[in-house]
Amino acid sequence: MKTLNTWTAVLFFTAFLSACAAVSPDNGGPGEMEIRTGRIEQITMTQMQTNHDSGVGAVLGAVGGVALGSLVGQGTGRDVAMVAGALGGALGGNYLEKKRYDQPKEAQQIIVRMKNGVLVSVTQPVNPSLSKGMAVYIEGSGGEARVVPQS
C-alpha cells in the first residue's frame, strides 16, 4: 500500500508540473512566423568582427606551460615554475588565438526596402548571389537576421 501511495504521489506531481509548462512559438510550440519580403536597395561591402574567442588557445597554452614548468627544479621551486608556466602559457595561447582567428572578415551591409516601404539594414557574411534590385526574404531577426534570395 505504501508503494502505491508513493507512485500515486509521483504521478500527481509529474502531472502538476507538466500542466504548468507553457507552449509558445518561442519554445518550440506551434505558432506563426512572418515572412518578410522586399527588394535590395543597396549593398555596401564592409567588415564584421568574428566571434572566435573560444579560450582553446589559453587552455592549451596553460597545459603546455605546466608541462614545461614541471621540468624545472624540485619541490616548491617546481610548483612555482608550474604556476608561472600555466599563467604565461595561458596569456600566450590567448594572444595567439586572437591574432590568428579573431580577425575581421568581409561582409555585406544590405539595405532592403520592405513591401510596406520600411527600410531594413542587415550586415551578414558575403553572399555573392545577392544583387541590387533582387527580390529577397529576410530570415530571422536581430543579430541573427539574414537576407536570402527568393527562389
Side-chain angles (χ1 to χ4, degrees):
M1 185 70 177
K2 189 174 184 181
T3 307
L4 180 63
N5 287 340
T6 303
W7 281 108
T8 304
V10 168
L11 182 64
F12 176 75
F13 186 68
T14 304
F16 177 75
L17 286 179
S18 65
C20 295
V23 178
S24 69
D26 296 335
N27 64 7
E32 59 186 45
M33 178 167 61
E34 177 184 1
I35 298 175
R36 299 179 293 168
T37 61
R39 292 205 174 269
I40 295 177
E41 291 249 332
Q42 177 182 348
I43 298 177
T44 306
M45 296 305 290
T46 185
Q47 291 184 337
M48 60 190 295
Q49 193 67 27
T50 59
N51 190 15
H52 289 291
D53 194 14
S54 65
V56 173
V59 170
L60 291 177
V63 169
V66 167
L68 289 175
S70 69
L71 301 174
V72 176
Q74 297 177 10
T76 307
R78 177 181 286 173
D79 294 342
V80 170
M82 289 171 63
V83 169
L87 292 175
L91 290 173
N94 190 41
Y95 173 77
L96 288 175
E97 179 185 14
K98 284 188 180 223
K99 187 162 181 72
R100 168 90 166 117
Y101 294 108
D102 201 18
Q103 298 296 319
K105 57 192 252 188
E106 292 297 315
Q108 296 172 314
Q109 180 185 27
I110 304 164
I111 298 177
V112 178
R113 182 168 302 275
M114 307 304 289
K115 292 201 179 231
N116 62 4
V118 173
L119 292 174
V120 176
S121 173
V122 176
T123 302
Q124 67 183 31
V126 175
N127 183 346
S129 66
L130 297 176
S131 62
K132 186 175 177 182
M134 178 181 276
V136 293
Y137 295 118
I138 298 180
E139 296 179 344
S141 61
E144 300 298 318
R146 295 290 173 256
V147 176
V148 294
Q150 290 184 14
S151 300

